[in-house]
Amino acid sequence: MIEKGAWVQIHKIVLHPHERAPQVPDDTKKVPLEMWVKGFLLDSGKIGDTVRIKTLTNRIEEGELVEVNPSYQHHFGHFVREILDIGQMVKTFLDGDDQNEAR
Amino acid sequence: MKQDKSYSAVMSRRNEIMKKSVGIDYESFEQEGIGFSYEKMMREASPYSLSEIQKIQLYNGVGHTPLKELKNITKMVRKLAPKGKGARIFIKDEALNDSGSFKARRAAVSCYHAKKKGYKGVMAATSGNYGAAVASQAAKYGLKCIIVQECFDSRGVGQPEIVEKARKCEALGAEVIQLSVGPELFYTFLKLLEETGYFNASLYTPFGISGIETLGYELVKQCENEVGRTPDVVVCTNAGGGNLTGTARGIKKATDKKVQIIGASVNLKGLHMASDYQFNRKSFTTGHTGFGIPFATYPDRSDVPRSAARPLRYMDRYVTVNQGEVFFMTETLAILEGIERGPAGNTSLAAAFSIAQELDDDQIIIVQETEYTGAGKHHGAQLSFARENGINIQFGNPRDEIPGENIIIPKNPSLIKVNDLDLTRVKKSCIKNHINNNPEVELTEQDILFLMEEINENKTFVLEILKELGR
């Protein structure tokens, strides 16, 4: 059970596929318009429950509880060899082949 | 009585919601026929002079960014250029504004105005650096702040660049609403404006544009005072058109000399901006042709009735570069100049690298922005993400790049070449859109004058296009 007052993220459907705007391309029209927002849990609940939260601007939002203490998972990416090669290439272009020799 | 919150009901209240949330009566600038008075709107709707805006920005961590000479990149240019060619390249390091980009200049005026007019909070619909800019300025004034982002595809996969911007907005105290792909973001945005009564810090109001005039003004004065010459060429990354418009207006306020203004966008031809599938197959979420072309040819598609960003009034040339070229220059900037910045802001740097080779070696070309970098919005993160999404990354000739399928990194620096868009065609398209959106209107002299100003061309040019269109 996630206690009242916890910092959580909720998810809700804003528009179902049949409600989507006419100008939307076909692949997008097949899926709903979804929304995620974070806030303080107003009543205790568990993941998957429909809950209410109070957001940072003191608005009340209702939706499915998807995460408690949500954190950031994005990063600098996996190693990309090409980036290293660009650096070597431009240094060689500017200073000649011996610039990478151990000094 | 409970208000109807359905899509059609909210969209039909669009004009009244907008009027209340930006406090501008756009009707008062409309003329008979198809046009409106742009200069009157710029003068009256945002009642702050250039020097007042400079003060507002100075007190709030915005502006006075350094102009840096890229000596090693200029050396590279001169190795490639014919004898006597190869302009000196300078960069305006806008990443050093509070919030990490030139967008702070736009937010500074909007938030100042919102506070002065008694709004309790500000809102912006943006997946880009502007969100952080509004959040940062709102924090200074104690305004509440909501940023609405298009962030995830239907698999729930977030664009790393946008996920990072969400983090940055939250770090600066904003509430972030994240949505899946689709233009109905605007519906959610309108609903929230109506619910909260907050100020709409739109990118396209006169506040958003006049805030950038200080950037153009500053770069001319800095170049004259520190380098001893008025810049010959300024390259602006072009998306919604505000960056170029504001910069060019500021340059005109700083000097009577002709400074060539070049717009540069990343080529994303063939990718649909509202496609759920293609959303995560592009490596640039801004500064690309998917915004650049439609907003240049029809500025009023923006979220306000009359956009203050009208780039064709100022643009002398419009070029594109490829994703691979921009990543190449982003790494080069870090390795050769010791300046690590985000890729999107380096779109104009990639263009300048090519254009500098056409210019004389005593000329000066200025790249007018940089943006902050970090997890997610870094060329390493973007390339890694592209590879995970099935995009083929390889060295080769950037001309062979097909957006959404591959990213071609130039196999040597001589392959970095801008592609010139046919500006006459872009201008024609702008006139066509004005005409098609007003099929009933009998064109008068005033309309023709408006069209001349819209595309910065003479009467003969405009009349000829009208003739082609059968008007």
Side-chain angles (χ1 to χ4, degrees):
Chain A
M1 191 59 72
I2 300 154
E3 293 304 317
K4 179 182 171 182
W7 182 246
V8 299
Q9 184 173 42
I10 61 164
H11 167 259
K12 67 193 243 188
I13 304 288
V14 181
L15 295 172
H16 292 280
H18 69 274
E19 296 170 312
R20 299 215 62 161
Q23 74 270 28
V24 167
D26 289 343
D27 64 332
T28 311
K29 230 175 238 170
K30 285 189 193 128
V31 295
L33 180 70
E34 300 170 84
M35 176 180 131
W36 292 261
V37 62
K38 294 169 188 168
F40 301 101
L41 190 59
L42 288 179
D43 314 289
S44 54
K46 56 184 189 303
I47 300 288
D49 285 356
T50 299
V51 295
R52 290 180 318 133
I53 61 166
K54 192 180 201 181
T55 70
L56 285 177
T57 60
N58 296 326
R59 297 182 315 105
I60 309 294
E61 284 274 7
E62 193 179 271
E64 183 196 348
L65 179 56
V66 289
E67 204 178 342
V68 62
N69 299 327
S71 62
Y72 307 105
Q73 301 298 332
H74 61 296
H75 49 79
F76 283 91
H78 304 294
F79 176 66
V80 177
R81 172 64 198 235
E82 286 81 357
I83 292 176
L84 186 67
D85 292 342
I86 295 167
Q88 298 295 97
M89 189 204 303
V90 295
K91 280 197 278 184
T92 304
F93 182 80
L94 206 57
D95 303 331
D97 285 333
D98 61 348
Q99 62 82 30
N100 288 320
E101 302 273 312
R103 275 176 253 211
Chain B
M1 195 182 72
K2 214 174 168 190
Q3 229 172 3
D4 186 350
K5 298 263 176 93
S6 71
Y7 181 75
S8 54
V10 172
M11 293 304 277
S12 72
R13 293 197 295 273
R14 169 189 179 152
N15 282 348
E16 55 179 291
I17 297 171
M18 277 299 162
K19 194 168 168 180
K20 217 175 133 198
S21 65
V22 293
I24 294 173
D25 180 11
Y26 283 94
E27 281 294 320
S28 64
F29 308 115
E30 286 297 317
Q31 295 169 345
E32 290 286 320
I34 62 175
F36 76 107
S37 176
Y38 178 55
E39 287 304 331
K40 185 172 181 234
M41 179 180 87
M42 292 305 287
R43 219 172 30 243
E44 293 176 10
S46 167
Y48 309 110
S49 68
L50 183 76
S51 62
E52 283 172 291
I53 293 173
Q54 283 172 322
K55 260 187 220 151
I56 292 167
Q57 294 179 339
L58 180 65
Y59 295 150
N60 290 291
V62 180
H64 298 270
T65 56
L67 185 69
K68 299 174 177 173
E69 183 164 13
L70 304 182
K71 292 191 181 125
N72 289 327
I73 291 180
T74 301
K75 257 189 224 166
M76 266 179 88
V77 164
R78 289 180 180 171
K79 280 196 152 196
L80 293 166
K83 199 171 182 319
K85 298 283 177 187
R88 291 166 75 182
I89 304 179
F90 287 76
I91 203 162
K92 184 94 169 122
D93 205 358
E94 286 290 295
L96 302 181
N97 285 304
D98 281 7
S99 86
S101 78
F102 84 96
K103 290 277 172 44
R105 295 181 188 263
R106 309 176 85 156
V109 184
S110 285
C111 291
Y112 175 84
H113 186 75
K115 182 72 182 179
K116 202 173 141 184
K117 291 290 173 187
Y119 287 87
K120 296 283 172 243
V122 287
M123 271 183 64
T126 164
S127 304
N129 291 323
Y130 189 54
V134 174
S136 166
Q137 291 295 311
K140 292 172 198 288
Y141 293 110
L143 289 164
K144 292 206 179 293
C145 177
I146 302 177
I147 302 299
V148 184
Q149 284 190 331
E150 183 186 51
C151 188
F152 299 103
D153 66 13
S154 61
R155 300 171 298 165
V157 176
Q159 238 292 340
E161 196 180 355
I162 301 175
V163 174
E164 159 53 22
K165 285 162 188 169
R167 182 208 63 82
K168 180 99 168 166
C169 292
E170 289 181 341
L172 300 171
E175 172 180 326
V176 179
I177 309 268
Q178 294 178 301
L179 296 168
S180 57
V181 180
E184 304 100 323
L185 178 145
F186 191 49
Y187 158 65
T188 303
F189 185 66
L190 287 173
K191 229 173 21 171
L192 284 163
L193 278 175
E194 204 170 36
E195 179 190 328
T196 59
Y198 288 177
F199 182 76
N200 173 15
S202 159
L203 282 161
Y204 302 102
T205 61
F207 309 112
I209 303 308
S210 58
I212 313 169
E213 290 181 6
T214 56
L215 170 49
Y217 188 87
E218 252 173 56
L219 70 83
V220 170
K221 294 296 172 197
Q222 275 174 309
C223 199
E224 288 176 345
N225 295 336
E226 296 164 21
V227 191
R229 184 183 170 107
T230 308
D232 297 277
V233 177
V234 173
V235 194
C236 307
T237 300
N238 189 50
N243 187 23
L244 189 143
T245 302
T247 300
R249 289 177 62 85
I251 290 172
K252 279 180 189 290
K253 288 182 180 177
T255 180
D256 291 332
K257 289 191 186 146
K258 174 66 193 166
V259 178
Q260 198 190 16
I261 308 291
I262 303 181
S265 301
V266 174
N267 176 35
L268 287 189
K269 201 177 171 190
L271 292 182
H272 197 304
M273 292 310 128
S275 161
D276 177 62
Y277 172 70
Q278 291 174 345
F279 181 68
N280 277 328
R281 298 184 72 78
K282 57 182 190 281
S283 293
F284 286 81
T285 57
T286 186
H288 57 66
T289 50
F291 293 138
I293 305 273
F295 276 87
T297 54
Y298 191 54
D300 298 324
R301 67 175 62 247
S302 77
D303 62 354
V304 289
R306 288 293 191 178
S307 174
R310 309 188 89 84
L312 291 185
R313 290 179 175 239
Y314 304 98
M315 198 188 281
D316 297 307
R317 185 175 169 189
Y318 193 5
V319 300
T320 62
V321 287
N322 293 351
Q323 299 177 93
E325 291 173 318
V326 181
F327 290 135
F328 184 101
M329 287 312 300
T330 299
E331 180 61 14
T332 302
L333 182 67
I335 291 294
L336 293 187
E337 304 288 349
I339 305 174
E340 192 190 24
R341 296 289 179 262
N346 291 328
T347 304
S348 47
L349 174 61
F353 184 79
S354 167
I355 294 163
Q357 296 170 43
E358 304 166 10
L359 303 172
D360 294 338
D361 60 9
D362 62 344
Q363 291 189 295
I364 288 174
I365 183 166
I366 295 182
V367 174
Q368 55 75 273
E369 63 154 318
T370 60
E371 57 161 1
Y372 87 99
T373 187
K377 55 183 269 130
H378 184 274
H379 49 307
Q382 287 293 341
L383 282 168
S384 168
F385 182 74
R387 194 160 261 165
E388 281 164 40
N389 280 277
I391 306 293
N392 183 22
I393 297 164
Q394 63 189 79
F395 282 103
N397 186 340
R399 297 285 78 77
D400 298 331
E401 185 172 294
I402 302 167
E405 283 184 28
N406 58 24
I407 292 174
I408 311 283
I409 300 167
K411 70 177 175 205
N412 70 64
S414 69
L415 292 171
I416 299 172
K417 288 273 172 252
V418 293
N419 172 45
D420 266 277
L421 295 179
D422 182 350
L423 196 54
T424 300
R425 229 179 105 194
V426 177
K427 288 179 173 184
K428 262 188 200 175
S429 173
C430 177
I431 292 196
K432 204 172 145 188
N433 284 333
H434 274 300
I435 300 297
N436 289 350
N437 286 314
N438 297 279
E440 316 285 289
V441 173
E442 278 294 322
L443 296 180
T444 63
E445 277 298 311
Q446 189 176 249
D447 292 315
I448 289 163
L449 198 64
F450 170 74
L451 292 173
M452 285 161 59
E453 287 168 358
E454 276 289 89
I455 59 168
N456 191 24
E457 286 291 348
N458 61 35
K459 195 170 174 179
T460 318
F461 185 98
V462 170
L463 288 178
E464 220 152 86
I465 299 175
L466 290 175
K467 209 169 132 194
E468 276 176 39
L469 295 170
R471 295 293 288 258

